[in-house]
Amino acid sequence: MIRFVLALGAAAVVALPANAPAALAARAEPSIVLDRAEVAVGDQLAVRLAGWPAGNVQVELCGNEAQRGSIDCAVGGAASAAVLPDGSGAVALTVPAPPGACPCVIRVRPVAGGETRTAPVAVKGVPVRTAPPAAPVPTELAASGVRIVGAGSPWAALFAGPAHRTVKVTLRNPGQAPVLSPRLALTSGRPGRTTVIVAAPPVGLLAPGQERTFDLPVTFGAPTWGRYTVRGELLGADQPEVFYAHTHSYPWGLILLPVLALAYATVRWSRRAGRGAVAADRRST
């Protein structure tokens, strides 16, 4: 007890001479010094202040690092202290039980309003709340520049044969976290009925901001006629990225064949009819 009184008395000694400029003390950074780092409920804790604005302050024990303000503090067990013109002060705080779990702090706040400061202190017997795990960084994937271009010989498609196309797509990671080995799933078929699986290459790691462009061959099986769709789904991020590409294939060769055949038959019939008329004229003469 004698040592505690001596420590508290030494803290109250005026640190600046009477003729020192007041501005010198005002420039000091407010600080809190505790006589020990660990206490128990009911202990006497010496709290020394330096660099504070002159006036009255309230000293209190808080749990939860006083993150929610007075709701985390044992306001009923607070102590008041007077800060001298030189910015120093001292108080003996009887340690109360904090209203919540630690990490605990000693909070000092000016009664007339102003900056609040804290100093960490461990309180025996009070549970310590562990910090919640950091929220995972969301992962994102995006597809852009999706289009279908022709590929291979068009002759088969002109007669309703297989239609060969190439799907061009750029896969990009617009998020802040890497996406490890996303998977690309492709299907093709009629619009709304893309049931044919299309082989897709591995995408590999996509770092934040990285993009990769793919040329994906796809074949629409015979007989081909009308509109077709390729559906792509990029898996591996928090939300899948779905994209579509559309194309068409019309067997113009099959459409033109009857027309050409009819024209050919018309020409042949005209020629035969012309030759028959000439022969009849010759016989009549």
Side-chain angles (χ1 to χ4, degrees):
M1 184 66 181
I2 296 176
R3 186 178 64 180
F4 172 77
V5 173
L6 291 176
L8 190 58
V13 175
V14 178
L16 295 175
N19 60 352
L24 182 61
R27 286 196 299 267
E29 186 76 11
S31 64
I32 304 171
V33 179
L34 310 179
D35 70 338
R36 64 194 122 160
E38 186 178 39
V39 295
V41 175
D43 286 352
Q44 293 287 308
L45 178 66
V47 182
R48 293 174 290 171
L49 309 176
W52 286 79
N56 293 325
V57 295
Q58 183 160 305
V59 181
E60 51 202 9
L61 176 74
C62 307
N64 192 37
E65 295 181 320
Q67 292 184 10
R68 299 178 296 174
S70 296
I71 193 174
D72 288 326
C73 301
V75 179
S80 297
V83 178
L84 301 177
D86 66 355
S88 66
V91 67
L93 175 68
T94 301
V95 178
C102 289
C104 292
V105 295
I106 296 297
R107 186 173 80 149
V108 179
R109 57 185 180 91
V111 175
E115 186 178 13
T116 298
R117 297 282 178 131
T118 62
V121 64
V123 182
K124 297 176 182 177
V126 176
V128 178
R129 174 185 53 81
T130 57
V137 179
T139 54
E140 302 177 55
L141 290 170
S144 60
V146 183
R147 65 189 190 278
I148 294 182
V149 298
S153 173
W155 293 108
L158 285 177
F159 297 95
H164 302 283
R165 300 288 189 269
T166 297
V167 179
K168 291 183 174 290
V169 60
T170 297
L171 306 180
R172 183 169 57 90
N173 179 357
Q176 301 299 317
V179 180
L180 304 175
S181 300
R183 186 171 65 87
L184 182 60
L186 292 176
T187 53
S188 67
R190 298 288 186 181
R193 293 183 288 117
T194 55
T195 57
V196 179
I197 297 175
V198 179
V203 178
L205 170 69
L206 279 178
Q210 185 180 11
E211 63 180 33
R212 194 168 291 126
T213 299
F214 292 88
D215 291 342
L216 308 170
V218 58
T219 299
F220 303 103
T224 54
W225 185 301
R227 293 180 56 81
Y228 291 89
T229 296
V230 174
R231 181 185 185 273
E233 187 171 10
L234 191 55
L235 306 170
D238 292 342
Q239 295 292 333
E241 172 74 2
V242 179
F243 59 90
Y244 294 89
H246 306 281
T247 187
H248 60 268
S249 179
Y250 292 102
W252 299 113
L254 293 182
I255 297 173
L256 292 176
L257 276 178
V259 176
L260 294 176
L262 179 61
Y264 177 73
T266 302
V267 171
R268 289 198 61 185
W269 178 84
S270 298
R271 288 179 178 177
R272 292 181 62 182
R275 287 197 297 268
V278 171
D281 288 344
R282 289 179 178 174
R283 285 195 298 269
S284 63
T285 55

